[in-house]
Amino acid sequence: MIHATLHQLKVFEATARHGSFTRAAEELYLTQPTVSIQVKQLTKAVGLPLFEQIGKRLFLTEAGQKLLDTCQEIFAGLEKFEMSVADLKGMKQGQLKLAVITTAKYFVPRLLGPFCKQYPGIDISLKVTNHQRLQESMAANEDDLYIISQTPTQPDLDVHPFLENPLIVLAPTGHPLAHKKNIPIEMLNDEPFIMREPGSGTRKAVELLFDEHNVKVRVRLELGSNEAIKQAIAGGLGISVLSQHTIISEGTSGELDILDVQGFPIERHWYVANVAGKQLSVVAQTFLKYLLDESPAMAKRLLPGLGSTSLNSPDSTPEHDHEALENSRPTALKV
Ligand code: PGA
């Protein structure tokens, strides 16, 4: 076995991540010569170069890449061990890495408040991003738990549905279709439309429905933010399709109307997922249980317009959840 200290491995990992001795030194509050000496000693112990320098940047060699993978496994294992020890001592502590799609950014922080109060030893890292980037994080095994609306085929996931996430058509108040009932979807043809960016799960679901019905909206603007889309609708730039969660928690502003279009709401829901086969840390297991237990009641309190049925059974499948989703139709909501 090579003779390397944990400290050397940490210095190496930071150097590899930054591609720079100087930046690793800054992160670790060490001097630059200390970092390069530690890496030199580690290189000697391994017996092969770990980096090659091109210009100012350091690149990993094949041996360096293998060592980096090993370091990440060791650090993750140690972190998990620390959490298990804390659990044995009757404390829940450690870090929870959560990554959620954009629509969940309204609900999840509200759930995290009481969770953190109950478990003050747990630190949370919350990443909010679109479907595609979340899928990339899953593939790179970057986080403990993910909240998604569409389950990708890759990587293999353990998924638990927990709350409905319907997509609705939003228009500016006073839109000619605003008070019509059961509007045929074809009437959206040629409507100026504000679309989420490529890679967005919302966009994918909308495109699928429009394709099915051969609807061709006029995409006037592409925006990577639900909030910006709401402002653009209110500003009269067009209509859009967004998750009901984007409007439901903020109270009424009177600037938007929900259009009662056939085929809407697009019935979807959120799943909490973890990469299959990855052993969840005690902290991640604690949050998973909390989320599945507490979401229904919290949704009832915070999101009464979303419907009262929540999908909290770990065994339920999208097919079984159909009835629950039916209850979430946002027919009478005006914002
Ligand atoms: P998106 O996902 O941010 O990728 O559009 C939202 C959702 O699928 O609910």
Side-chain angles (χ1 to χ4, degrees), residues 101-103 129-131 149 165 196 199-203 268 270:
I101 41 161
T102 62
T103 48
T129 185
N130 74 13
H131 177 81
S149 282
N165 177 27
R196 282 284 306 276
S200 146
T202 307
R203 175 177 175 137
R268 309 162 81 223
W270 286 330

Side-chain angles (χ1 to χ4, degrees), residues 43-93:
T43 307
K44 205 165 155 201
V46 172
L48 281 172
L50 300 173
F51 292 107
E52 53 193 12
Q53 185 150 10
I54 301 176
K56 280 196 172 161
R57 203 178 151 81
L58 295 171
F59 290 88
L60 285 169
T61 60
E62 196 183 334
Q65 184 59 52
K66 286 201 160 65
L67 182 60
L68 178 62
D69 295 343
T70 308
C71 283
Q72 283 164 346
E73 275 166 30
I74 292 171
F75 297 151
L78 282 173
E79 208 174 297
K80 210 174 276 168
F81 172 70
E82 266 172 21
M83 291 188 210
S84 306
V85 168
D87 193 43
L88 289 174
K89 289 179 185 164
M91 301 180 291
K92 300 266 187 254
Q93 65 186 39

Side-chain angles (χ1 to χ4, degrees), residues 243-312:
S243 161
Q244 195 188 357
H245 285 278
T246 65
I247 54 156
I248 206 165
S249 55
E250 68 186 18
T252 57
S253 69
E255 293 187 302
L256 308 176
D257 267 323
I258 297 175
L259 299 188
D260 180 13
V261 179
Q262 286 171 3
F264 288 90
I266 300 177
E267 292 166 354
R268 309 162 81 223
H269 52 280
W270 286 330
Y271 300 90
V272 57
N274 61 275
V275 175
K278 172 169 171 162
Q279 211 210 328
L280 286 181
S281 68
V282 172
V283 162
Q285 286 173 33
T286 306
F287 181 71
L288 178 61
K289 182 168 180 339
Y290 187 89
L291 175 108
L292 296 174
D293 289 350
E294 300 299 325
S295 292
M298 184 159 277
K300 230 181 229 176
R301 234 176 332 108
L302 293 176
L303 316 167
L306 194 67
S308 56
T309 312
S310 293
L311 308 165
N312 63 342

Side-chain angles (χ1 to χ4, degrees), residues 19-324:
S20 152
F21 290 129
T22 314
R23 290 182 53 198
E26 277 164 15
E27 178 183 308
L28 299 170
Y29 301 105
L30 297 171
T31 62
Q32 196 262 351
T34 308
V35 168
S36 67
I37 287 168
Q38 294 297 318
V39 172
K40 211 177 264 172
Q41 286 173 352
L42 191 59
T43 307
K44 205 165 155 201
V46 172
L48 281 172
L50 300 173
F51 292 107
E52 53 193 12
Q53 185 150 10
I54 301 176
K56 280 196 172 161
R57 203 178 151 81
L58 295 171
F59 290 88
L60 285 169
T61 60
E62 196 183 334
Q65 184 59 52
K66 286 201 160 65
L67 182 60
L68 178 62
D69 295 343
T70 308
C71 283
Q72 283 164 346
E73 275 166 30
I74 292 171
F75 297 151
L78 282 173
E79 208 174 297
K80 210 174 276 168
F81 172 70
E82 266 172 21
M83 291 188 210
S84 306
V85 168
D87 193 43
L88 289 174
K89 289 179 185 164
M91 301 180 291
K92 300 266 187 254
Q93 65 186 39
Q95 208 199 18
L96 172 67
K97 287 192 204 146
L98 271 181
V100 309
I101 41 161
T102 62
T103 48
K105 77 170 185 187
Y106 304 88
F107 183 74
V108 171
R110 302 294 287 260
L111 195 72
L112 285 174
F115 176 76
C116 289
K117 224 176 241 166
Q118 188 168 334
Y119 301 104
I122 296 182
D123 297 324
I124 315 276
S125 142
L126 175 65
K127 188 157 78 189
V128 179
T129 185
N130 74 13
H131 177 81
Q132 187 179 316
R133 281 195 222 113
L134 215 68
Q135 213 176 320
E136 287 160 10
S137 299
M138 286 174 188
N141 192 17
E142 285 173 4
D143 302 282
D144 298 314
L145 292 169
Y146 303 87
I147 292 176
I148 45 174
S149 282
Q150 289 150 355
T151 49
T153 45
Q154 281 300 324
D156 226 3
L157 298 175
D158 293 330
V159 292
H160 309 268
F162 70 98
L163 207 65
E164 52 271 56
N165 177 27
L167 297 183
I168 52 173
V169 186
L170 288 169
T173 307
H175 189 279
L177 296 176
H179 296 293
K180 300 237 177 334
K181 290 266 163 266
N182 212 16
I183 303 162
I185 193 167
E186 296 75 28
M187 288 195 72
L188 301 188
N189 266 317
D190 288 330
E191 274 289 330
F193 197 87
I194 307 159
M195 189 66 105
R196 282 284 306 276
E197 77 288 0
S200 146
T202 307
R203 175 177 175 137
K204 213 165 158 190
V206 172
E207 286 181 338
L208 202 70
L209 185 74
F210 284 174
D211 281 354
E212 262 171 34
H213 294 271
N214 210 14
V215 170
K216 304 251 176 298
V217 289
R218 187 155 45 90
V219 178
R220 195 170 187 190
L221 195 60
E222 241 182 50
L223 287 173
S225 143
N226 298 320
E227 286 305 304
I229 290 182
K230 277 160 48 188
Q231 297 306 320
I233 301 169
L237 284 167
I239 64 166
S240 190
V241 174
L242 290 178
S243 161
Q244 195 188 357
H245 285 278
T246 65
I247 54 156
I248 206 165
S249 55
E250 68 186 18
T252 57
S253 69
E255 293 187 302
L256 308 176
D257 267 323
I258 297 175
L259 299 188
D260 180 13
V261 179
Q262 286 171 3
F264 288 90
I266 300 177
E267 292 166 354
R268 309 162 81 223
H269 52 280
W270 286 330
Y271 300 90
V272 57
N274 61 275
V275 175
K278 172 169 171 162
Q279 211 210 328
L280 286 181
S281 68
V282 172
V283 162
Q285 286 173 33
T286 306
F287 181 71
L288 178 61
K289 182 168 180 339
Y290 187 89
L291 175 108
L292 296 174
D293 289 350
E294 300 299 325
S295 292
M298 184 159 277
K300 230 181 229 176
R301 234 176 332 108
L302 293 176
L303 316 167
L306 194 67
S308 56
T309 312
S310 293
L311 308 165
N312 63 342
S313 157
D315 297 328
S316 59
T317 63
E319 287 73 34
H320 296 143
D321 294 329
H322 188 73
E323 203 182 312

